[in-house]
Amino acid sequence: MPVYSGVIFSKAEFDKEISRVVIEGHTSSDGDDKTNLQLSLLRSASVYKYIFYDMNFPTKAPLSQKILAAGRGEIESDNKHDNPGDRKVVFRFQFRSDELKKDIAKTSL
């Protein structure tokens, strides 16, 4: 995350274009929906805690304004069997240009 954060804040146009960095927690299909959603939230919160409490890097403060921890539960998991590879954390970058495209599509309908 320090490398990504360094790139995001290295140029004003990068900072402006990247609206959000999402830490997504995921689970396998093993277990019930409610438990998996809670587990995925805890997974993403744990990564957030590690980044902001255990790591030290110069762009931590501005990154804290863009970052969001979210749980996805088993939404993207293999429903046919319990796949340990589905238990993961993924970083997603949201770009303002993507948001603008959605707004344009809504207004043109």
Side-chain angles (χ1 to χ4, degrees):
M1 189 47 64
V3 172
Y4 289 132
S5 182
V7 171
I8 291 168
F9 298 106
S10 67
K11 293 186 177 184
E13 57 265 28
F14 294 164
D15 180 15
K16 185 178 177 184
E17 178 62 24
I18 297 172
S19 61
R20 178 112 16 236
V21 178
V22 182
I23 305 168
E24 287 186 353
H26 296 263
T27 65
S28 70
S29 59
D30 188 34
D32 64 82
D33 292 344
K34 182 179 177 183
T35 302
N36 282 337
L37 183 56
Q38 290 173 336
L39 179 59
S40 67
L41 284 166
L42 289 171
R43 188 167 278 148
S44 65
S46 178
V47 171
Y48 176 93
K49 182 181 175 228
Y50 179 76
I51 291 169
F52 289 101
Y53 293 93
D54 297 335
M55 298 182 83
N56 197 6
F57 52 99
T59 54
K60 187 183 339 186
L63 179 65
S64 70
Q65 300 301 308
K66 289 187 182 283
I67 205 153
L68 172 72
R72 302 279 292 164
E74 60 189 66
I75 290 173
E76 295 179 11
S77 67
D78 182 347
N79 295 357
K80 295 185 180 13
H81 61 81
D82 178 28
N83 183 353
D86 289 333
R87 301 177 193 131
K88 61 190 173 194
V89 172
V90 175
F91 292 93
R92 297 207 189 269
F93 297 86
Q94 293 178 348
F95 297 90
R96 292 201 193 284
S97 57
D98 290 340
E99 293 169 10
L100 292 174
K101 289 176 191 174
K102 290 176 188 175
D103 289 341
I104 291 169
K106 287 178 188 176
T107 57
S108 63
L109 292 177

